[in-house]
């Protein structure tokens, strides 16, 4: 049985022998798929991009695996974003959903019924963090609602937040003598990721 002769391709003044595309699946594409399945997003993205470039230039198998790695990276990123943005996910709570220990938390991780103490404000004077505490330990304020706002112009956010808190306390019997307050998102958080309002009472 005769052996196939290599393809001969002209190159400048000389000649080179070309045996066709590399044999076997592209390793970068393969590692992209593996990394993507296991949620190693940075590796999956890097391997996937370079794997696509290599398979396109060389014709080597593996383009589908590189695409799989990139797609799973996007899916994992979406899952992580939703977990981080979900209210109260990062807060230690007991089986009933109540705060179990004192802890610092984002204002947008609070739920209705949570008690908190004020933390030092950010450099621009905005409130980003609070100290959640079990209500039995004493507190500065207690949340009675966390309504979400629809998209709107920046100039309308504060008034809309006040209306949302008014609706949240409709039909509720609040203790006599409490003061009402609210925390609403600034234009940055409102536009990017969170449009919730924290409605609270203070003793």
């Amino acid at each position: 049985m005769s052996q196939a002769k290599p393809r001969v391709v002209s190159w400048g003044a000389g000649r080179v022998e070309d045996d066709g595309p590399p044999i076997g699946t592209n390793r970068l594409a393969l590692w992209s798929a593996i990394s993507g399945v296991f949620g190693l997003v940075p590796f999956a993205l890097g391997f996937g991009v370079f794997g696509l470039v290599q398979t396109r230039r060389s014709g080597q198998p593996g383009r589908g695996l590189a695409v799989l790695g990139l797609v799973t990276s996007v899916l994992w990123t979406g899952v992580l974003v939703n977990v981080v943005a979900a209210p109260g996910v990062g807060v230690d709570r007991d089986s009933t959903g109540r705060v179990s220990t004192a802890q610092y938390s984002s204002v947008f991780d609070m739920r209705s019924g949570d008690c908190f103490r004020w933390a030092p404000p950010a450099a621009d004077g905005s409130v980003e963090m609070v100290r959640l505490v079990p209500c039995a330990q004493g507190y500065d304020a207690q949340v009675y609602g966390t309504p979400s706002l629809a998209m709107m112009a920046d100039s309308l956010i504060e008034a809309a937040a006040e209306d949302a808190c008014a609706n949240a306390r409709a039909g509720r019997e609040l203790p006599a003598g409490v003061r009402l307050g609210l925390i609403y998102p600034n234009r940055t958080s409102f536009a990017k990721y969170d449009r919730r309002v924290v409605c609270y009472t203070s003793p």
Side-chain angles (χ1 to χ4, degrees):
M1 181 174 176
S2 61
Q3 186 176 4
K5 294 183 179 180
R7 216 160 24 102
V8 178
V9 182
S10 62
W11 179 258
R15 306 195 320 168
V16 297
E17 295 182 348
D18 180 9
D19 291 326
I23 300 173
T25 303
N26 183 273
R27 291 186 178 183
L28 291 179
L30 179 60
W31 279 111
S32 175
I34 295 173
S35 301
V37 169
F38 287 98
L40 305 175
V41 175
F43 296 101
L45 288 174
F47 290 145
V49 170
F50 287 107
L52 280 177
V53 172
Q54 288 187 358
T55 55
R56 182 177 180 181
R57 289 179 176 176
S58 67
Q60 186 179 13
R63 181 177 178 82
L65 291 174
V67 172
L68 174 63
L70 294 175
V71 170
T72 51
S73 298
V74 173
L75 294 177
W76 274 113
T77 301
V79 170
L80 293 174
V81 169
N82 286 328
V83 168
V84 171
V89 170
V91 176
D92 292 331
R93 299 180 182 274
D94 60 23
S95 58
T96 65
R98 296 182 179 181
V99 174
S100 56
T101 58
Q103 58 203 287
Y104 284 98
S105 172
S106 164
V107 294
F108 298 115
D109 281 340
M110 292 192 286
R111 299 176 181 176
S112 183
D114 285 351
C115 297
F116 66 92
R117 295 175 183 165
W118 294 107
D124 60 358
S126 63
V127 178
E128 297 179 355
M129 304 291 292
V130 294
R131 184 170 175 80
L132 289 175
V133 294
C135 294
Q137 292 185 7
Y139 53 86
D140 294 330
Q142 183 173 19
V143 180
Y144 66 85
T146 56
S148 294
L149 303 178
M151 286 297 294
M152 64 185 67
D154 294 343
S155 59
L156 303 176
I157 295 176
E158 183 175 357
E162 292 176 353
D163 291 341
C165 287
N167 292 332
R169 64 177 177 269
R172 292 174 178 263
E173 293 186 7
L174 300 178
V178 297
R179 294 174 294 169
L180 301 176
L182 60 90
I183 305 171
Y184 61 90
N186 59 28
R187 66 175 63 185
T188 302
S189 60
F190 187 86
K192 288 187 176 180
Y193 61 91
D194 209 318
R195 298 195 294 273
R196 280 176 300 210
V197 180
V198 177
C199 310
Y200 65 85
T201 61
S202 297

